[in-house]
Amino acid sequence: MPSMESPTAANWKHSFLYLGFLYSLLCFLHNQISHNLLIGHRPVRVKKTSPDLPLRFRSDGTFKILQVADMHYGNGALTRCRDVLDSEFEHCSDLNTSRFLKRMIEAEKPDFIAFTGDNIFGSSSVDAAESLFRAFGPAIESGLPWAAILGNHDQESTMNREELMSFISLMDYSVSQINPSAEDFSDLARGSRKKIDGFGNYDLRVYGAPGSHLANSSILNLFFLDSGDRETVQGVRTYGWIKESQLDWLHGISQGYQDKPPALAFFHIPIPEVRQLWYKKIVGQFQEAVACSSVNSGVLQTLVSMRDVKAVFMGHDHNNDFCGDLENIWFCYGGGFGYHGYGKAGWRRRARVILAELGKGEKGWTGVERIKTWKRLDNDKLSKIDEQLLWEY
């Protein structure tokens, strides 16, 4: 007669089998989680941030911005240039755009880089993320803080506008934001709307020089706005525009300051009033029609009423690089930067530089005293042209 297994021995056997199952399950989960946390067999790393944050003026009382408009980056070495002379380059691709950006960073040594849209040319980009890494690569390699807004072509690849701004905000050394921060909204008057159109509306504050009595005060604001891409109005296609919700937010932020510092604004698509500058004195070249929206949403009126924005910096129309005065606010084009974007054969790609300078009093550095700008051409000497004073206290 076979021996009967005692209840105690059976329980131990079942417990052992159960513990063995749990151990195997834990090992399986551990391996799966570890595998999912590896990209290309490397651990996921935390975004790098600049040691120069928050943004602030240098000890010499200056703050320099490099504006990069319309890189139109595609797929790197495989993406050919447009509108260049055969005599200019033996071979020309997106790499010429990268080389120009590196040269500008080395020559001007900016404190901050502002990319004002059409950073990638979506229809030429196989993978938006890869194109963004390549386009912003020189800025990331420099370790400088930088920010970007979108143009009307960025979203034509594999990401929509929200995904693009989310991705850009997570890139190394980027201080870009998807939309206004909670801190910004807390500054608004009670009852102001919190839903805002677009992606890439934010305010960056620049603080006083280290060691000065304004070292912990915001003395220059940088407003970034999403001007959209394409819209249909009464059955007709037109370019996007800055919406009422964005202007409400912008006006609210401006009004939230007791001692309102000067500000600069950055967006991609020019406003309709820029067309009026054809009939006014300008600094630079007006070589193509202003491609703006058929809708005038009141951007100029809002900026005038705020009384703090001294200059606006735009892109979109690559063959325009001028600055012109509208209602005591300068509107300046960056000029086409990227070689895959359209241009004008024989007319060099270019970049704009903006320099803010502090005043000096008995206690040392004070607030912003003047704002200047100039451009550099992508030639052997990085020729400096059209230097001008935009604003003086």
Side-chain angles (χ1 to χ4, degrees):
M1 185 176 179
S3 61
M4 299 292 292
E5 188 175 30
S6 68
T8 302
N11 288 339
W12 274 106
K13 183 178 181 181
H14 291 153
S15 297
F16 180 78
L17 289 172
Y18 180 65
L19 289 172
F21 170 74
L22 285 179
Y23 178 77
S24 299
L25 180 62
L26 289 172
C27 288
F28 173 77
L29 290 174
H30 173 76
N31 289 333
Q32 289 298 308
I33 292 171
S34 298
H35 176 75
N36 289 332
L37 285 177
L38 294 176
I39 298 176
H41 306 293
R42 294 181 182 178
V44 173
R45 60 181 180 78
V46 178
K47 167 185 171 179
K48 295 179 182 178
T49 56
S50 172
D52 299 323
L53 293 179
L55 299 176
R56 68 170 60 252
F57 279 76
R58 300 178 191 176
S59 298
D60 66 359
T62 64
F63 185 79
K64 185 185 287 187
I65 302 169
L66 170 62
Q67 182 198 2
V68 178
D70 298 273
M71 283 194 293
H72 277 246
Y73 217 92
N75 298 306
L78 299 178
T79 303
R80 299 305 300 269
C81 299
R82 295 178 61 186
D83 300 323
V84 295
L85 298 174
D86 293 337
S87 59
E88 289 184 82
F89 305 102
E90 183 176 345
H91 177 79
C92 187
S93 71
D94 278 336
L95 300 186
N96 291 72
T97 301
S98 298
R99 192 175 299 115
F100 183 26
L101 182 51
K102 289 178 182 177
R103 293 180 70 209
M104 284 299 302
I105 292 171
E106 291 170 1
E108 287 288 358
K109 297 179 174 55
D111 302 291
F112 174 72
I113 307 171
F115 294 94
T116 51
D118 282 359
N119 309 295
I120 62 174
F121 192 39
S123 59
S124 297
S125 170
V126 175
D127 183 285
E130 184 65 28
S131 294
L132 289 171
F133 275 123
R134 291 179 177 180
F136 298 133
I140 293 171
E141 290 169 11
S142 73
L144 294 169
W146 59 274
I149 47 176
L150 302 178
N152 54 293
H153 287 298
D154 294 279
Q155 78 290 336
E156 293 171 348
S157 181
T158 56
M159 292 184 185
N160 63 34
R161 296 179 76 80
E162 183 175 12
E163 291 166 342
L164 284 164
M165 279 311 304
S166 177
F167 190 87
I168 290 170
S169 72
L170 295 173
M171 296 179 79
D172 286 345
Y173 306 110
S174 169
V175 291
S176 313
Q177 297 173 26
I178 305 171
N179 261 335
S181 64
E183 180 184 4
D184 283 346
F185 277 130
S186 69
D187 290 340
L188 297 178
R190 187 176 298 176
S192 292
R193 70 179 77 187
K194 289 195 175 184
K195 186 180 184 306
I196 188 167
D197 288 283
F199 302 99
N201 304 286
Y202 51 100
D203 168 29
L204 298 179
R205 303 172 184 186
V206 186
Y207 291 82
S212 71
H213 70 288
L214 293 173
N216 296 318
S217 300
S218 173
I219 59 173
L220 177 68
N221 277 334
L222 308 178
F223 296 133
F224 291 81
L225 292 160
D226 180 8
S227 55
D229 49 87
R230 286 282 192 172
E231 304 265 359
T232 301
V233 179
Q234 297 179 344
V236 179
R237 291 276 284 171
T238 186
Y239 284 110
W241 64 90
I242 296 169
K243 307 293 196 307
E244 182 182 357
S245 64
Q246 297 166 273
L247 296 176
D248 285 350
W249 163 76
L250 184 64
H251 191 271
I253 288 293
S254 174
Q255 296 305 110
Y257 287 93
Q258 289 183 341
D259 298 319
K260 194 179 293 188
L264 305 174
F266 299 83
F267 50 81
H268 182 70
I269 299 174
I271 61 173
E273 288 90 344
V274 172
R275 292 170 171 166
Q276 300 171 15
L277 294 171
W278 176 261
Y279 306 100
K280 298 186 177 184
K281 184 178 179 180
I282 58 172
V283 179
Q285 300 294 312
F286 198 146
Q287 300 184 122
E288 67 173 302
V290 175
C292 59
S293 176
S294 62
V295 175
N296 191 327
S297 60
V299 174
L300 181 59
Q301 294 93 316
T302 299
L303 297 181
V304 170
S305 70
M306 287 162 51
R307 302 178 65 184
D308 55 355
V309 174
K310 309 306 178 186
V312 173
F313 300 94
M314 316 164 292
H316 192 54
D317 301 325
H318 306 183
N319 294 331
N320 292 336
D321 73 345
F322 64 83
C323 286
D325 187 341
L326 291 169
E327 304 281 347
N328 295 318
I329 299 173
W330 285 91
F331 283 75
C332 298
Y333 279 101
F337 188 98
Y339 280 91
H340 186 50
Y342 76 86
K344 184 177 178 182
W347 199 66
R348 291 285 185 173
R349 265 49 173 196
R350 57 205 58 214
R352 181 171 291 281
V353 179
I354 305 138
L355 180 68
E357 298 177 325
L358 299 180
K360 203 159 192 179
E362 295 180 0
K363 297 181 179 180
W365 296 118
T366 57
V368 179
E369 186 172 79
R370 68 181 64 87
I371 299 170
K372 301 175 181 177
T373 188
W374 59 86
K375 300 185 293 284
R376 285 196 183 271
L377 309 182
D378 189 18
N379 57 21
D380 292 341
K381 298 180 180 179
L382 283 178
S383 299
K384 183 178 181 180
I385 63 169
D386 295 338
E387 184 170 3
Q388 67 178 112
L389 179 69
L390 294 175
W391 176 80
E392 191 165 28
Y393 180 71

